[in-house]
Amino acid sequence: MQAHDRKYRRAIWDNTGEIIFHGSAHLSVASKIVCSGRLELGQDFMLNGDSTIIANKNIQIGNNCLISWNVQIMDTDFHPIYSLDNERLNPDKEIIICDHCWIGSRSNLLKGTKLSEGTIVAMGSTVTKECSVPNVVICDNKILKYNVVWQYE
């Protein structure tokens, strides 16, 4: 069974920065990668359909990571916001995803996100902070379960 209409779905590859592959990668139909900064992808990386990675500064994704469908990962807000004193209030911040992480569908990983090894991000989450505990399930920056593992099936 096909979950995507391949005839009308287009992938986007827009690279004016640096993209580093450390092994095999699977980019599904209608996935989007836009890089004007640095993007580093580990061994056995998988980006599923309709998911987007925007690397304006620096995004590092470890080995054996699975990005589900309709996920957005971006290290920028695109539009700068300044104080009345002309101080930039929303600078770009790197994203680091350690080895063997699984990002659930319709999740958003925004600038400043750091995920420890084995982290599972619950479907529909928005993550903006560091999760320094390995092998957990998180939802919206909160740990839901500890000492979990996942595997491809």
Side-chain angles (χ1 to χ4, degrees):
M1 179 174 131
Q2 290 264 351
H4 300 285
D5 180 358
R6 291 181 187 273
K7 183 175 179 182
Y8 296 104
R9 305 304 288 237
R10 305 292 187 259
I12 295 174
W13 179 272
D14 183 1
N15 180 28
T16 58
E18 178 183 22
I19 300 177
I20 301 166
F21 289 90
H22 289 288
S24 64
H26 176 86
L27 307 176
S28 289
V29 65
S31 59
K32 299 161 194 73
I33 292 182
V34 179
C35 179
S36 60
R38 185 172 191 272
L39 174 61
E40 189 171 350
L41 303 172
Q43 173 72 28
D44 295 326
F45 170 74
M46 181 176 285
L47 181 66
N48 279 296
D50 291 312
S51 289
T52 302
I53 297 175
I54 299 171
N56 202 48
K57 181 178 176 92
N58 183 43
I59 297 177
Q60 297 174 25
I61 301 176
N63 297 322
N64 303 306
C65 288
L66 172 61
I67 312 299
S68 192
W69 60 88
N70 291 314
V71 170
Q72 180 172 274
I73 300 171
M74 60 184 209
D75 63 2
T76 184
D77 293 334
F78 285 110
H79 305 289
I81 299 172
Y82 295 95
S83 70
L84 294 176
D85 298 328
N86 206 31
E87 176 188 351
R88 175 89 187 257
L89 300 175
N90 66 335
D92 297 346
K93 295 180 186 172
E94 72 179 2
I95 294 174
I96 298 174
I97 301 171
C98 289
D99 293 344
H100 201 65
C101 289
W102 174 15
I103 314 304
S105 65
R106 294 190 305 278
S107 292
N108 297 295
L109 274 58
L110 304 180
K111 64 184 191 176
T113 296
K114 294 182 181 175
L115 301 179
S116 294
E117 184 173 337
T119 298
I120 300 169
V121 176
M123 179 174 136
S125 296
T126 297
V127 182
T128 60
K129 297 181 180 177
E130 180 176 352
C131 178
S132 59
V133 181
N135 300 100
V136 294
V137 176
I138 65 170
C139 179
D140 296 334
N141 298 320
K142 296 180 185 124
I143 297 175
L144 301 179
K145 293 187 182 192
Y146 293 86
N147 301 317
V148 298
V149 294
W150 68 275
Q151 62 185 15
Y152 289 109
E153 290 199 14

